[in-house]
Amino acid sequence: MTASADVLVPADRGETLGELVHIAEEHSKGGISNPVLGMILFIASEVMFFAGLFAAYFSLRSNAPVWPPTGNPEFDLRAHIALPAVLTLMLITSSVTCQIGIWAIRRGDRKAFLRATAVTLVLGVIFLVGQVWDYTQLEFGITDTAFGSTFYTLTGFHGAHVLGGAVMLSVVLYRGLAGQFSARHHDAVEATSLYWHFVDVVWIALFSTLYLL
Amino acid sequence: MITKPRFALLAGAIFIALAIVYGALSHDWGGVTMLFALGIAMALMAYVLVAGSPRGDEQ
């Protein structure tokens, strides 16, 4: 968003490198960096993606005579709420540590940034392992009525997004260890944190809908 | 002309208000969910358009 044609075709205008840097800085005033811009647009599309899944769930639920369907006592997810509740707390905590990392890199504290990012990544991985463990404990599958289909589709796609976020965090951590981020240059960190917060918010909505509502 | 990023929230508020009205009239919770999420997505998009433009506050 902040790059311009002026910057992309320097040979046509004959600017020096210093002038190009000045132009780039001028164009960046008041705008959003490209990584953050791209992430916000991506999150907007992801909102609609999850909206489709939630809409399907609510549509099925509102049209069903009984919810959860009778016939399998395992459909009563409140009986298995302990582990998902703990995982929810871990994911919320990971959002907090992610934000602590952002605040740290904004003030140039790389050590605190790396520590907070590592903790965020570990919490995310624990969440994923916990979700897989939870799947193994449930005695219904994705083909067991619309309830099983919607449950596994919603939680499965969310898990895939957490996995994607964990990969992003791993890249950020690796680049952070290589010293590529500073108080002025850390757009990738900001973009990754936006995505991680989004994934966290989606899980809170999922947990509330599936286990509490 | 809208130049403050916070006004982007208005774009989302319109759809969320629409979702509330639609839900009250139809009780179609799938549609309400889609309209609500559309409000969030539109607010994000509007924010990008307003805050993302270079020197948006000066235009």
Side-chain angles (χ1 to χ4, degrees), chain A residues 15 41 53 94 109 185 211:
Chain A
E15 290 94 344
L41 292 174
L53 296 178
S94 77
D109 187 349
H185 302 286
Y211 292 89

Side-chain angles (χ1 to χ4, degrees), chain A residues 74 80-87 90 124-140 151-152 155 159 203 211:
Chain A
E74 285 293 312
H80 309 279
I81 200 171
L83 179 58
V86 172
L87 295 176
M90 295 187 89
V125 171
I126 291 173
F127 175 88
L128 281 173
V129 172
Q131 193 175 30
V132 171
W133 170 257
D134 193 35
Y135 279 177
T136 64
Q137 301 304 301
L138 294 172
E139 294 179 11
F140 64 91
F151 174 82
Y152 281 104
T155 56
W203 176 255
Y211 292 89

Side-chain angles (χ1 to χ4, degrees), chain A residues 104-190:
Chain A
I105 196 65
R106 279 180 188 165
R107 64 174 186 270
D109 187 349
R110 291 185 191 179
K111 216 169 184 178
F113 155 68
L114 290 172
R115 196 167 49 231
T117 305
V119 171
T120 307
L121 178 60
V122 168
L123 287 170
V125 171
I126 291 173
F127 175 88
L128 281 173
V129 172
Q131 193 175 30
V132 171
W133 170 257
D134 193 35
Y135 279 177
T136 64
Q137 301 304 301
L138 294 172
E139 294 179 11
F140 64 91
I142 195 168
T143 56
D144 291 333
T145 76
F147 180 84
S149 300
T150 50
F151 174 82
Y152 281 104
T153 305
L154 278 164
T155 56
F157 269 113
H158 177 266
H161 282 73
V162 175
L163 180 62
V167 170
M168 284 188 210
L169 283 170
S170 302
V171 172
V172 163
L173 188 59
Y174 175 78
R175 289 184 61 187
L177 287 167
Q180 294 184 9
F181 298 122
S182 65
R184 285 196 64 183
H185 302 286
H186 57 270
D187 289 338
V189 184
E190 297 271 0

